[in-house]
Structure formats: C-alpha cells, structure tokens
Amino acid sequence: MIRIVTRKRLALLEADTHAAFERARQASAAASAATARHAQELSGALERAERAEATTDEVGVLLAGAQREAAETEKHRLALSLELRRLRAELERGPVEGEALTVLLHYGEPHTIYRSLDDAHADTATHGVPADAVWSPCGERPASVFRWRCEPFVYSAASNGFRRAFEPDAVPVRGAA
C-alpha cells in the first residue's frame, strides 16, 4: 500500500507530535513536582515519626524513673506508717521504769533528744563530728566547755520524769549556810 503524504499532512503530523511532546513534558513536570511533593511529605512524616519515637523514649525513661521513685516513696511511707504505729503504742503505754534517753548538748544547751547513745552519735556526724570519733567520759567538767556532749537520762516513776543517769557531785554554793 502506498500512501501519499502531502505537505499539509506532514505539517499536521508535526504539529500533533509537538503537541504530544509538550503534553508529555507537562505531564513529566507535573509527575516530577508530585514526586518531589510526596518525597518532601514523606521526609516530614519520617522526621515527625523520629521525633515522636525520641519523645516516646524520653517519656519512657521519665516514666520508669517516676515509677521507681513512687515505689521508693511507697516503701518509705510504709516504714513511716509502721514507725508511727509503734510510737503511738509506746505513747499509750507511757514511760517504763529504767527506760533511758540520751540528750545531745551543744555547748551545754540541749540540742536534741534521742532513744539511744548511738543515735545521738550518728546525729553529731551530720554536724561535723567524724563518724569514727572516740567519745570519752566528760568527768566533772561543765557541759558548756564541750562542743557536743551526750547525757543519759533514766525514767524514774518516783519523780514521774527523767533524771540524769549520773548525778554530778554536789558543789557547795558560796555563802550558803
């Protein structure tokens, strides 16, 4: 089959080809723009996901710390509750004959009252006295010459109160008859 192509037909085919190439170029440009837009959206979504994951990790660490702290606080609260019950029972029963307390004196002035001598010594460690300090008897020297001094007191039912465990020697007052 022989087909005769005229100049007019060639011009129309060339115009159609140029139009097809232009549509293809526009479609390619639109596809490239859409791909770039989708890639940018995907990149943004990935960044947000990474930030969310990092935030989730941080929140997880904070939550774990808060849970540990809550567990420690609960243990401390239970210990305090038991101690409070014990102290209430002790308060209800009242003092017992011969029960001892230790008064921590700071330059002769009462500072704090403790259940035991060991508790008083431990507290002085928080005030600058070495924990391994050797405590020696004070003798008859006045309490005011010592930075820290521990004095034991014993409950006496006869006096309805606590008395010093070691009474100081009586010193005559000048001018007393």
Side-chain angles (χ1 to χ4, degrees), residues 43-176:
S43 174
L46 286 173
E47 286 178 19
R48 287 191 301 276
E50 287 172 355
R51 282 196 309 266
E53 186 177 344
T55 301
T56 301
D57 291 343
E58 288 176 19
V59 168
V61 168
L62 291 173
L63 180 61
Q67 287 173 334
R68 276 193 309 275
E69 190 175 320
E72 290 173 12
T73 302
E74 181 64 17
K75 282 191 338 192
H76 184 64
R77 186 195 66 78
L78 288 172
L80 289 176
S81 177
L82 291 173
E83 179 69 8
L84 183 61
R85 285 184 191 148
R86 186 189 64 75
L87 290 172
R88 281 184 178 150
E90 188 177 308
L91 183 62
E92 287 175 7
R93 78 164 162 78
V96 177
E97 181 73 31
E99 184 177 34
L101 294 175
T102 300
V103 176
L104 179 63
L105 303 172
H106 186 248
Y107 292 111
E109 296 294 319
H111 182 271
T112 314
I113 299 172
Y114 297 95
R115 297 197 136 287
S116 70
L117 187 61
D118 291 337
D119 291 344
H121 289 174
D123 187 45
T124 57
T126 65
H127 298 292
V129 176
D132 59 349
V134 177
W135 291 76
S136 56
C138 300
E140 291 301 318
R141 292 178 286 173
S144 60
V145 299
F146 297 98
R147 180 171 178 214
W148 295 106
R149 181 172 175 169
C150 294
E151 287 288 335
F153 284 76
V154 177
Y155 182 75
S156 169
S159 66
N160 196 24
F162 286 86
R163 296 225 175 248
R164 291 179 86 179
F166 307 107
E167 291 294 327
D169 291 339
V171 177
V173 178
R174 291 187 203 168

Side-chain angles (χ1 to χ4, degrees), residues 21-44:
F21 277 124
E22 184 60 28
R23 283 193 305 273
R25 189 190 62 74
Q26 289 174 354
S28 177
S32 293
T35 302
R37 203 171 48 250
H38 289 302
Q40 192 175 25
E41 288 175 4
L42 180 61
S43 174

